[in-house]
Amino acid sequence: MTVRTVTVRRRRAGITACAAALTVAGGLLAGGPDSSGGHAAPAVVRAAPAAAAAPVLAPSADCDVTKSAPPAEDPDGAAIRRIRQRGTLVVGVDQNSYNWGYRNPRTGRIEGFDIDLAHAIAASLLGDPEKITFRTVPTARRIDAIKNGEVDLITRTMTITCERLKDVAFSAPYFRTGQQVVVPRAAKATSLAAAFKGRRACVAAQSSSEAELKRDPRGTSAVRVVENQLDCLVLMQLGQVDTTLTDGSLAAAQAAQDPTVQVLDESVSDAYMGVAVNKAAPDLVAWVNQVLAEYRAGGGWQRSYAHWLAPTMGASAAPYLP
């Protein structure tokens, strides 16, 4: 079956024409092609008050971001029956995160580490990894897409936080990461303090990075908030921002796309990625956790890591074990 891709339309209007045309290293266009075969431009950015109050993201006594439902396969679960009757698994993904979820300009297919996991879930549920419909969802709309039933689940470098657990359910963690900084090599910044103080920072809307800079602006002169994290790389290439805060995994992907930027070694915080699912679908959460257990045990996780991530993140990583 041919994999279908549907783009969830962005709500904000406006296009940054020069950014849309900018080609990053390796021949990848920063916006990536949309479902109609064109190229989606980076979102228009908006200013965010650096000192705004942030949601509490740190684990508390009643919140453990590493805990999820026990692995189980219940073919009679309501969500599982619905997916099987439809005949396709609808997954929210990114098409702009190199090596995680990005559209290969040579094949037109969305590929990457998160995409391999989505195919593994489809294979388990429907007996065919290609019985899947991808919907590209901006960072800021991930939770809405789950709650509104636009997708069955999201595999999109989404970190598990106590705040997000109020709105959606998560699988067990499948990747450990942290917030890291991307800066131009020409800036010669060697510390977080040098990267932030008096600098214009960029983060993706409703991301953990945005929440972190709201909690502690770290002396930034301004914070720009964009719809997708790759838009920050484009703005940095255009000289409109000085530093980007994003997940360490995505930071490595940005540096792999553009050799003029670098990732600082120092991390801001630790975080865990999970598959996001509607809270009303506990049977799907349990099924995904069973897939994750088998994916790790069977070597699928390690093979996918070696293919997509080892070149930029190192070959020594092992699957996160809850």
Side-chain angles (χ1 to χ4, degrees), residues 243-255:
T243 185
T244 293
L245 182 64
T246 187
D247 286 345
S249 54
L250 297 176
Q254 288 193 18

Side-chain angles (χ1 to χ4, degrees), residues 12 43-49 201-206 210 214 223-227 232 235:
R12 289 195 293 273
V44 174
V45 297
R46 57 183 170 83
C202 185
V203 293
Q206 297 186 30
E210 182 189 19
K214 284 181 177 179
V223 177
R224 301 288 295 276
V225 182
V226 297
E227 211 167 39
C232 288
L235 291 174

Side-chain angles (χ1 to χ4, degrees), residues 225-246:
V225 182
V226 297
E227 211 167 39
N228 285 298
Q229 56 84 27
L230 193 62
D231 297 343
C232 288
L233 178 60
V234 174
L235 291 174
M236 199 150 43
Q237 291 167 331
L238 294 172
Q240 295 181 15
V241 299
D242 306 304
T243 185
T244 293
L245 182 64
T246 187

Side-chain angles (χ1 to χ4, degrees), residues 144-229:
D144 285 344
I146 286 286
K147 294 176 71 174
N148 296 340
E150 299 169 47
V151 298
D152 296 314
L153 51 86
I154 283 182
T155 56
R156 195 190 181 285
T157 58
M158 192 168 180
T159 54
I160 309 167
T161 69
C162 296
E163 190 68 19
R164 288 173 180 164
L165 282 167
K166 297 175 183 178
D167 294 309
V168 298
F170 278 96
S171 71
Y174 67 87
F175 203 90
R176 184 172 182 170
T177 185
Q179 299 293 309
Q180 285 185 274
V181 169
V182 182
V183 293
R185 290 184 181 275
K188 301 188 183 304
T190 58
S191 67
L192 291 179
F196 285 116
K197 189 173 182 180
R199 305 287 187 177
R200 300 163 298 172
C202 185
V203 293
Q206 297 186 30
S207 66
S208 299
S209 301
E210 182 189 19
E212 175 62 29
L213 282 191
K214 284 181 177 179
R215 185 189 68 80
D216 181 0
R218 298 175 180 269
T220 55
S221 61
V223 177
R224 301 288 295 276
V225 182
V226 297
E227 211 167 39
N228 285 298
Q229 56 84 27

Side-chain angles (χ1 to χ4, degrees), residues 101-142:
Y102 80 106
R103 194 183 294 274
N104 186 322
R106 297 177 181 85
T107 66
R109 288 175 61 90
I110 295 181
E111 301 174 347
F113 185 82
D114 277 340
I115 308 307
D116 283 357
L117 175 57
H119 282 298
I121 297 170
S124 176
L125 280 168
L126 299 168
D128 184 344
E130 298 301 318
K131 288 186 175 179
I132 193 166
T133 298
F134 291 129
R135 296 188 186 274
T136 57
V137 182
T139 303
R141 293 211 63 249
R142 291 178 297 186

